[in-house]
Amino acid sequence: MNNRIYTKTFSAPKRSMTLYHSGDASPRGTLEFTHIEDVHNAVMKARTSFDNFWCESELSQRVEYIKALLELLIIRQNDFAHIISLETGSPIDFSKKQQVQTAINHVQASLKVTENLSLDLPVKDENPQHRTRYEAMGVAALITPWNWPLNQVILKVVGAFLAGCTILLKPSELTTETALLLEETILESGVPDGVFNLIIGDGIIGQALISHPQVDVISFTGSTETGQKISVQAASQFKPCILELGGKSANIIFADCIIEKAVQQGVAHCFRNSGQSCNAASRMLVERSIYDEVLALVQKEVQNIKIGMPEKKGNHLGPLISKRQYERVQKFILSGIEDGAHLLAGGPGKPTSFEKGYFVKPTVFADVTEDMAIFKEEIFGPVLTITPFDEEAEAIRLANATPFGLSGYIQSSNHERLNRLAARLKVGMVQVNGQSRIEGAAFGGVKASGMGREAGLWGIRAFQHIKSISGVTL
Ligand code: NAD
């Protein structure tokens, strides 16, 4: 493990934590945190870099740096995949094909957006003296989680960079090594010193960063609980704040869809990355006329899910990232049983032959009602809940009956119904009949899933103020 930047001697001791292999729970190293007083130094470096030279950087210049970064990301994709597997337990093929590839796709989509991006637009074409200027907010503090450790970071870094901000990134303490490789890659792509700054540590370090008076904008991805604290802090300092938080997304399956395909895709979408995705389709709502048929298909599908070690090639589920996550998911599985849900697959404890690591049995509960914790709360593990409904209006009500509002999934062959529901779901993103979101589409949620959007144009504008200028042409 690298001994981190900004090593000076201070009176307060440096803090650190032990890292573990999630596949067998063995210790694998120690991560040293940035000293709390060096958070201040890093913020001031980002501040002076912005004020002294970066605020005058041209978009075309920033685009060239991101093009260079993209090339290096592609060259190093296997290195990133290996580190992600090591840090998170994500199986190596999933890390390559999903974790890293998604990040690369997002960089490409952001670059595409810049081909037609203007930072100065006339309010009316016929009167260029009145302009709308999109201006970098300044120093951006980016705080990210561990579940998609390259993708979540890239979405923020590339957006903030192209917008013209200087950057302070504090990745999750559990996935700092991915961020260290990214830092190395960004510096190699020629980005000037002081524009990108990495800070290492836990929530205490994150708190010191976001509350610093010289930070102009905060972008946070992580749990709803932490997001709420950050939002309060940001409001007290009038800082713009983008929040990408938790989810409990409904997958509504109507009798008129292609049932086998819908079940196969629905199960895959819930369990991929061992259920550790904010937009996982973790609540299946099923029209009662096909309920029994769907339960049988889900059971068969889940029986075919393989479990395996992170370094093993193939299409299997790996362990959860940490003991803490393992224990949290076990608590939810036990609560489902206590609340009287019907355990259709999996259950408490570890799968046979995987007793050492943080592995969880792919678990399915049927007959889940809306008063149960497993219906309402984000589990963030390989656990699917299934609830029947009788009518479309009930499906909409159930889908909207949690505090979250990230994604909604609808399976039906009725075009009018698809559009009706897409409008009625209180979420930031809707996907119908297994359609993936295209790169560059706005990513984000409503309610307890957050506010603001990432990716493509939205990801750049999130880090820009709008200024009206009247009386002078460019
Ligand atoms: P977390 O909230 O525990 O931590 C997220 C980050 O915040 C980490 O870097 C952590 O060190 C930092 N942090 C913790 N307390 C802080 C504080 N008081 N001030 C500043 N920083 C602080 O979340 P996690 O466990 O790392 O990630 C899992 C969560 O992330 C899940 O709830 C998941 O749904 C959510 N998530 C959301 C999205 C989205 O786009 N909506 C995407 C991925 C993950």
Side-chain angles (χ1 to χ4, degrees):
M1 175 66 32
N2 267 359
N3 259 358
R4 269 313 298 160
I5 45 177
Y6 320 126
T7 43
K8 264 205 251 163
T9 313
F10 290 107
S11 44
K14 264 195 157 183
R15 293 166 58 243
S16 63
M17 68 181 274
T18 306
L19 299 170
Y20 295 90
H21 286 281
S22 45
D24 63 9
S26 63
R28 62 178 187 84
T30 305
L31 177 75
E32 225 174 65
F33 295 170
T34 301
H35 196 287
I36 193 113
E37 292 169 52
D38 276 329
V39 174
H40 168 74
N41 296 339
V43 175
M44 292 318 293
K45 194 170 173 190
R47 172 84 274 153
T48 49
S49 301
F50 183 80
D51 293 346
N52 291 351
F53 65 93
W54 196 242
C55 62
E56 288 178 359
S57 65
E58 298 287 336
L59 175 63
S60 56
Q61 194 186 349
R62 302 196 291 269
V63 164
E64 289 310 310
Y65 287 125
I66 296 298
K67 282 185 180 163
L69 173 66
L70 175 63
E71 266 179 41
L72 288 171
L73 282 175
I74 292 171
I75 291 169
R76 294 186 173 167
Q77 52 189 308
N78 286 342
D79 299 339
F80 276 105
H82 277 106
I83 292 186
I84 291 170
S85 281
L86 179 74
E87 288 192 305
T88 65
S90 156
I92 187 66
D93 284 350
F94 186 83
S95 298
K96 278 185 198 164
K97 291 180 199 152
Q98 295 289 327
Q99 297 265 15
V100 178
Q101 193 55 50
T102 309
I104 289 173
N105 294 347
H106 278 304
V107 181
Q108 285 165 337
S110 299
L111 282 173
K112 187 99 192 109
V113 162
T114 62
E115 289 170 14
N116 300 308
L117 187 67
S118 178
L119 300 186
D120 255 291
L121 292 169
V123 179
K124 284 184 180 169
D125 283 344
E126 63 275 18
N127 193 347
Q129 280 208 336
H130 298 271
R131 294 184 281 122
T132 303
R133 180 175 146 86
Y134 290 91
E135 211 164 71
M137 285 181 180
V139 176
L142 315 180
I143 308 234
T144 52
W146 45 261
N147 56 329
W148 286 74
L150 183 61
N151 185 44
Q152 301 300 340
V153 168
I154 280 287
L155 275 169
K156 292 191 193 302
V157 168
V158 170
F161 189 92
L162 289 173
C165 292
T166 53
I167 293 167
L168 294 139
L169 168 69
K170 206 243 21 106
S172 166
E173 56 275 35
L174 296 175
T175 50
T176 303
E177 290 148 285
T178 304
L180 281 165
L181 181 59
L182 182 66
E183 179 194 42
E184 198 182 303
T185 310
I186 288 174
L187 295 181
E188 254 185 69
S189 60
V191 170
D193 188 39
V195 172
F196 174 86
N197 306 275
L198 185 64
I199 287 176
I200 291 173
D202 56 7
I204 295 174
I205 300 293
Q207 178 60 35
L209 171 61
I210 57 139
S211 58
H212 195 290
Q214 292 300 331
V215 163
D216 297 315
V217 50
I218 300 166
S219 179
F220 170 79
T221 299
S223 63
T224 292
E225 196 188 359
T226 308
Q228 198 164 31
K229 284 188 207 153
I230 289 180
S231 172
V232 169
Q233 176 78 54
S236 74
Q237 295 178 314
F238 303 105
K239 285 178 186 168
C241 183
I242 302 136
L243 299 172
E244 299 289 355
L245 311 177
K248 188 72 180 177
S249 301
N251 181 10
I252 309 174
I253 303 191
F254 287 96
D256 63 359
C257 73
I258 303 168
I259 300 170
E260 249 182 82
K261 184 174 159 221
V263 168
Q264 188 250 322
Q265 288 178 335
V267 167
H269 205 298
C270 174
F271 288 98
R272 73 184 191 143
N273 207 25
S274 297
Q276 303 167 114
S277 295
C278 52
N279 60 350
S282 55
R283 280 188 302 144
M284 207 178 253
L285 308 179
V286 181
E287 194 162 5
R288 202 176 296 276
S289 60
I290 55 165
Y291 190 64
D292 291 340
E293 181 185 352
V294 167
L295 293 195
L297 286 169
V298 168
Q299 203 169 26
K300 199 171 122 207
E301 202 63 41
V302 173
Q303 273 163 5
N304 290 334
I305 294 178
K306 294 186 196 78
I307 306 282
M309 294 300 268
E311 57 278 11
K312 189 179 157 198
K313 283 177 167 290
N315 182 18
H316 53 269
L317 294 191
L320 300 192
I321 189 165
S322 65
K323 184 165 184 261
R324 181 162 167 249
Q325 280 302 118
Y326 172 80
E327 286 169 353
R328 174 188 156 87
V329 173
Q330 291 299 317
K331 250 184 17 208
F332 275 110
I333 293 175
L334 292 175
S335 93
I337 294 169
E338 274 163 30
D339 288 346
H342 169 203
L343 185 64
L344 196 68
K350 294 182 180 175
T352 317
S353 314
F354 293 94
E355 285 84 3
K356 279 194 183 160
Y358 311 128
F359 290 92
V360 172
K361 295 177 196 166
T363 296
V364 183
F365 285 106
D367 306 340
V368 174
T369 52
E370 56 189 298
D371 54 317
M372 296 180 188
I374 56 169
F375 181 93
K376 292 183 285 204
E377 292 180 38
E378 183 182 50
I379 300 175
F380 226 54
V383 181
L384 174 69
T385 70
I386 312 184
T387 304
F389 68 85
D390 289 301
E391 287 168 359
E392 186 181 302
E394 191 189 2
I396 295 171
R397 194 187 60 71
L398 286 168
N400 290 334
T402 79
F404 299 102
L406 193 55
S407 291
Y409 305 91
I410 318 164
Q411 322 301 328
S412 168
S413 57
N414 180 328
H415 184 258
E416 284 74 34
R417 171 190 274 157
L418 288 171
N419 275 313
R420 220 168 26 240
L421 262 80
R424 293 286 306 279
L425 296 186
K426 291 181 185 149
V427 294
M429 299 171 284
V430 171
Q431 290 169 236
V432 310
N433 294 329
Q435 178 65 59
S436 303
R437 263 174 319 99
I438 193 167
E439 274 80 24
F443 191 97
V446 298
K447 295 158 65 185
S449 292
M451 55 180 129
R453 293 292 179 268
E454 296 196 309
L457 177 62
W458 316 95
I460 299 171
R461 294 294 192 222
F463 293 97
Q464 291 176 328
H465 284 305
I466 295 171
K467 186 183 273 178
S468 274
I469 300 179
S470 302
V472 60
T473 52
L474 257 187

